[in-house]
Amino acid sequence: MSAAPVVEVSPPWRPALGDIVIEPTEKHTATVVFLHGLGDSGRGWADIVPAFGLRHIKFILPSAESRPITINGGFPMNGWFDVLGLGPSTKEDVPGLDRAAAHVISILAKEKAKAGPESPVRYAVGGFSQGGSLALHVATSLTYGKYLDGKPAPSVPLTAAACISGWLSGSDVLAKGRRNLDAGALERAGRLPILHCHGTVDPVVNFQFGKLTAETLKGPLGFSKTKFNAYNGVGHSVSPEEVADIRAWLLEHLPPA
């Protein structure tokens, strides 16, 4: 697949807070862009990410814009895209999803260009709640080579993706679009490891919705290496067990060597 040009997001992305970058303290061999949840910012994860103890990974924690959010009564808060509801049959903000994904992909593309063509650095994306939903959208856009609206996405090699307490947006559009994918896109989907972690008593993003997300990724969408971890008694938060599992998973797919 030929690389699509990297274009600036229009209108310009205007977050309330700039990207937070946690630099590696050992040889840099991986970069992870991690996306916060609705109403939060990159700063909210600045103290959590170091707990992974992965000194070879550069973590980039961008922040969403402040925007009206429908499920918040239309009042503005930091959000990657509008959320009209949380359920498999809810109408979705497709333009907002694609715009946010383009912003995250531009971060990855710039990191790759800065590292150079011979760099051993690998790239991954992850997120919590709404950030997890966007992380999955970034992963499917890069893997399939196009956004939900059908426009081409830039070519950035993605090694892994993770979603914590999140959901998959645009699954119907993605399933229909898969019928027209070339063999290369389907092959990339089959080899991309995706981790989905979800608490069984999540009061915000229902556990069954999260489980359906993993099943849809693994089945109809062709991401056969999707792994779903359930955490008994955990709500809409990140437990110590999840942190340990995410760390192990990142080490498996983004090892130091």
Side-chain angles (χ1 to χ4, degrees), residues 58-80:
K58 177 181 183 178
F59 285 94
I60 301 175
L61 312 175
S63 293
E65 300 174 302
S66 178
R67 55 176 300 155
I69 301 294
T70 298
I71 61 169
N72 192 39
F75 291 99
M77 63 194 308
N78 287 358
W80 298 108

Side-chain angles (χ1 to χ4, degrees), residues 23-229:
E23 297 285 356
T25 56
E26 295 181 355
K27 183 179 178 181
H28 178 207
T29 59
T31 295
V32 175
V33 176
F34 193 89
L35 308 166
H36 64 78
L38 186 63
D40 200 359
S41 70
R43 192 174 301 281
W45 285 83
D47 293 329
I48 298 175
V49 165
F52 295 140
L54 301 172
R55 292 175 289 188
H56 64 290
I57 296 180
K58 177 181 183 178
F59 285 94
I60 301 175
L61 312 175
S63 293
E65 300 174 302
S66 178
R67 55 176 300 155
I69 301 294
T70 298
I71 61 169
N72 192 39
F75 291 99
M77 63 194 308
N78 287 358
W80 298 108
F81 51 88
D82 192 13
V83 181
L84 288 76
L86 290 171
S89 59
T90 302
K91 186 178 178 181
E92 295 173 304
D93 175 18
V94 171
L97 276 158
D98 281 347
R99 181 170 178 269
H103 174 67
V104 176
I105 290 172
S106 73
I107 294 173
L108 290 166
K110 289 172 183 175
E111 286 293 312
K112 183 176 182 296
K114 187 165 56 176
E118 303 302 320
S119 171
V121 176
R122 296 144 296 164
Y123 301 91
V125 63
F128 174 78
S129 191
Q130 190 194 39
S133 177
L134 179 55
L136 293 179
H137 185 40
V138 169
T140 55
S141 297
L142 288 175
T143 302
Y144 289 166
K146 59 183 179 181
Y147 297 109
L148 286 174
D149 65 5
K151 293 178 181 177
S155 178
V156 180
L158 199 65
T159 299
C163 175
I164 307 168
S165 304
W167 69 95
L168 176 67
S169 298
S171 58
D172 290 345
V173 178
L174 290 169
K176 291 176 183 177
R178 185 176 180 239
R179 301 168 190 167
N180 301 317
L181 294 174
D182 59 38
L186 295 175
E187 194 273 335
R188 288 192 298 274
R191 69 170 186 255
L192 180 69
I194 297 177
L195 176 67
H196 190 121
C197 301
H198 217 110
T200 59
V201 293
D202 190 329
V204 178
V205 181
N206 185 272
F207 172 75
Q208 291 301 327
F209 190 21
K211 187 176 180 181
L212 177 62
T213 281
E215 292 170 350
T216 302
L217 285 165
K218 197 168 187 176
L221 299 186
F223 293 86
S224 57
K225 289 189 175 181
T226 298
K227 180 181 181 182
F228 184 74
N229 287 359

